[in-house]
Amino acid sequence: EADIYQTPRYLVIGTGKKITLECSQTMGHDKMYWYQQDPGMELHLIHYSYGVNSTEKGDLSSESTVSRIRTEHFPLTLESARPSHTSQYLCASSSGPPTDTQYFGPGTRLTVL
Amino acid sequence: QKEVEQDPGPLSVPEGAIVSLNCTYSNSAFQYFMWYRQYSRKGPELLMYTYSSGNKEDGRFTAQVDKSSKYISLFIRDSQPSDSATYLCAFPSYSGAGSYQLTFGKGTKLSVIP
């Protein structure tokens, strides 16, 4: 089982609040990812990182930001939550060559009222 | 046309049935093919991985790839209630620096009824 953790698992919050979704992995992986998943829809990559101090935006535009100060930690922040941010957020890390398999955390289900 | 098409189901089958899950893709650059399984309220986990046309078998699961038709399938034999999950096809594409990004299908939700 992959050692990648996300907290909180569920979050209900009001509009305008600042939130940080935590993601940590103990596998020593350099690469980490954030995906957004809505019911019945594809996973969409919103941010990724290839190592400490490296962050990139993914294919899906997102108002969130990320940071990568430590290898094991890749938090995602929303400065001002809106109902349109309601979704499931999945964090993943990958193992590198040859297959670069991605291992996923359990996800954070965010509801913004 | 979307890069990946996957019927979201839901698909409901009796225990012991053979299940066939499918995806089509349009990007000829896809050379690797993955199936992930996602249980309710969990993150996806890699189930099978292949990069060649033909079949790959792992226990009750068989992944089939037809590159000429841009069509991949996952077969589950002797399906069990524990197979009830959403199955997502995924296609890695090289993004540089030894890394791959994944393009996912929408996932097919499978229920195996005892």
Side-chain angles (χ1 to χ4, degrees):
Chain A
E1 190 169 319
D3 296 321
I4 181 163
Y5 308 98
Q6 290 186 244
T7 57
R9 292 292 314 278
Y10 304 92
L11 179 62
V12 180
I13 201 161
T15 297
K17 301 291 186 184
K18 178 180 178 178
I19 59 169
T20 297
L21 308 184
E22 301 287 350
C23 176
S24 295
Q25 51 97 3
T26 58
M27 297 174 282
H29 290 166
D30 285 327
K31 299 167 199 169
M32 296 188 73
Y33 312 82
W34 276 103
Y35 290 88
Q36 190 170 335
Q37 184 182 34
D38 293 313
M41 300 300 290
E42 302 90 336
L43 274 80
H44 286 291
L45 182 67
I46 52 175
H47 297 282
Y48 60 98
S49 167
Y50 287 164
V52 170
N53 295 326
S54 149
T55 61
E56 301 286 344
K57 289 188 179 293
D59 300 328
L60 183 68
S61 176
S62 174
E63 295 166 346
S64 58
T65 59
V66 292
S67 63
R68 190 86 182 278
I69 298 172
R70 302 197 317 265
T71 298
E72 63 271 22
H73 194 216
F74 191 39
L76 181 145
T77 298
L78 276 165
E79 290 292 334
S80 179
R82 293 207 300 272
S84 60
H85 296 140
T86 294
S87 189
Q88 163 112 318
Y89 292 85
L90 288 159
C91 180
S93 67
S94 66
S95 56
T99 62
D100 208 24
T101 299
Q102 292 190 19
Y103 298 91
F104 285 81
T108 293
R109 183 164 296 281
L110 172 66
T111 302
V112 184
L113 302 175
Chain B
Q1 182 188 8
K2 300 194 87 170
E3 270 195 308
V4 177
E5 300 278 359
Q6 182 177 12
D7 186 340
L11 182 62
S12 185
V13 301
E15 183 175 353
I18 296 173
V19 176
S20 172
L21 305 167
N22 312 294
C23 287
T24 58
Y25 63 97
S26 59
N27 190 341
S28 298
F30 290 152
Q31 297 296 314
Y32 299 85
F33 311 94
M34 293 175 159
W35 285 96
Y36 276 80
R37 177 175 61 194
Q38 186 175 19
Y39 289 114
S40 181
R41 309 207 187 286
K42 301 273 189 179
E45 58 179 344
L46 182 65
L47 190 61
M48 295 192 73
Y49 173 102
T50 184
Y51 73 97
S52 59
S53 283
N55 295 351
K56 180 179 180 179
E57 194 171 313
D58 183 1
R60 296 184 294 108
F61 297 89
T62 300
Q64 188 175 83
V65 175
D66 182 347
K67 286 186 180 179
S68 62
S69 301
K70 296 189 180 67
Y71 187 86
I72 68 170
S73 299
L74 177 70
F75 297 96
I76 307 174
R77 289 186 304 280
D78 188 25
S79 55
Q80 301 295 310
S82 58
D83 295 328
S84 298
T86 298
Y87 291 81
L88 303 102
C89 55
F91 301 81
S93 53
Y94 189 65
S95 56
S99 299
Y100 291 81
Q101 291 194 11
L102 295 178
T103 301
F104 285 91
K106 289 184 178 183
T108 300
K109 186 172 183 179
L110 171 68
S111 296
V112 181
I113 312 301

